[in-house]
Amino acid sequence: MNDHTMPAVAGSTPMSSSPPSSPSPSAPPSPSSWRVGGVELHSRFFLGTAGYPSPQILVQAIEASGAQVVTVGLKRQLAHGGAASDFYALVKASGARLLPNTAGCTTAREATTLARMARELFGTTWIKLEVVGDDYTLQPDPFELVSAARELARDGFEVFPYCTDDLVTCRRLLDAGCTVLMPWGAPIGSGQGLINPYALKTLRARLPDVPLIVDAGIGSPMDAVQAMELGYDAVLLNSAVAQATDPVRMARAFRLAVDAGRLAWEAGVMAEQSMAVPTTPVTGRPFVL
């Protein structure tokens, strides 16, 4: 079970004349840690590594993001030949955990083959499973995705499936052996943000104990805040940082946004009202002077 359930309130205690202690200004509240794939993480920001202006900017962006997990596209990097090994060494030197992905695959067979190659190359059973069914929207193929997820889960992989926000598909992926889900916010690289917050909110409500990571479509830190305020455990993005005018500053902006959104969810966002509600009492005696 992940950390969606807030701690129970303790029983009543004798009242004290001393006011409750406040957090020290030097130690502001931080988002709670969480577990995914059998690993405890403090960061809730997963960062992609494609499309940066230079390797140096990528390294600086990873550092600024505070991300403990970064994704690498095995299929795309293999096309670069010998330069791929230098790229992997650079990413590993950042200290972040590698999450290889199967981007560019269109069949379950292709994706499972690439996943096994990634396991041998990187020594990890973590795999971000992508099986695209449409070249225009890059929408996942639910049938091939579930088939690949089932095979890889049986083979000992910790599968992070890139999927849509369809509840039934997500349940099928859980039945196939996935322990985490990565529903999209919008099509990959579109920067449209969360185009169907209702569906994402429904997933969170119906799958309260499953780690959920919004993956794809996030365009600005505002989108990350929204995802985290819905109760999602983390966000994964790439283009919004890599294509920013200043990727390093944008990585820092997203880090702050993810933390802010999670803290807001843990603190409890006030309920919306259909009309104005005065914040200052207009009757009675609000203060005793």
Side-chain angles (χ1 to χ4, degrees):
M1 179 178 293
N2 64 349
D3 60 332
H4 299 304
T5 304
M6 301 302 290
V9 178
S12 59
T13 56
M15 295 185 64
S16 171
S17 58
S18 302
S21 58
S22 301
S24 168
S26 61
S30 299
S32 59
S33 60
W34 63 303
R35 292 187 66 83
V36 63
V39 175
E40 183 175 7
L41 299 174
H42 300 286
S43 171
R44 295 174 179 271
F45 182 11
F46 288 27
L47 185 63
T49 57
Y52 287 80
S54 70
Q56 292 72 28
I57 290 179
L58 168 60
V59 171
Q60 293 171 19
I62 293 174
E63 181 178 0
S65 72
Q68 293 177 282
V69 178
V70 296
T71 63
V72 289
L74 181 59
K75 189 172 184 179
R76 293 193 180 104
Q77 289 302 321
L78 287 176
H80 295 291
S85 59
D86 295 335
F87 173 81
Y88 293 140
L90 192 70
V91 173
K92 290 184 70 174
S94 70
R97 186 183 185 93
L98 294 181
L99 176 59
N101 67 45
T102 62
C105 293
T106 58
T107 66
R109 181 178 180 180
E110 187 180 15
T112 54
T113 299
L114 197 62
R116 293 185 176 102
M117 289 177 61
R119 180 170 59 183
E120 294 300 318
L121 285 172
F122 303 120
T124 179
T125 58
W126 280 24
I127 191 71
K128 182 192 172 192
L129 182 61
E130 298 184 30
V131 187
V132 171
D134 181 72
D135 291 337
Y136 181 73
T137 63
L138 299 182
Q139 180 172 329
D141 182 322
F143 304 102
E144 294 292 306
L145 181 66
V146 171
S147 176
R150 181 179 294 109
E151 181 176 342
L152 291 174
R154 288 174 179 171
D155 198 19
F157 281 87
E158 192 67 49
V159 181
F160 291 65
Y162 162 62
C163 54
T164 65
D165 50 23
D166 179 73
L167 176 61
V168 176
T169 300
C170 287
R171 282 177 166 166
R172 295 293 179 269
L173 287 166
L174 295 175
D175 292 342
C178 298
T179 59
V180 57
L181 298 171
M182 304 183 76
W184 69 356
I188 292 176
S190 68
Q192 296 180 47
L194 309 187
I195 58 176
N196 194 348
Y198 171 79
L200 292 174
K201 187 175 181 179
T202 299
L203 280 182
R204 179 73 287 168
R206 299 302 298 273
L207 306 173
D209 301 324
V210 178
L212 298 178
I213 303 169
V214 172
D215 175 21
I218 288 180
S220 77
M222 175 182 66
D223 302 327
V225 171
Q226 183 183 12
M228 300 305 292
E229 285 189 357
L230 288 176
Y232 276 66
D233 297 279
V235 298
L236 188 157
L237 58 95
N238 188 156
S239 300
V241 170
Q243 296 181 16
T245 303
D246 187 335
V248 178
R249 284 180 179 269
M250 188 59 76
R252 173 66 173 167
F254 270 106
R255 176 181 185 173
L256 296 173
V258 170
D259 284 354
R262 180 65 189 188
L263 280 172
W265 186 81
E266 292 179 356
V269 178
M270 67 171 288
E272 292 185 4
Q273 304 294 331
S274 60
M275 59 184 66
V277 178
T279 56
T280 302
V282 294
T283 60
R285 299 176 62 190
F287 301 105
V288 177
L289 301 177

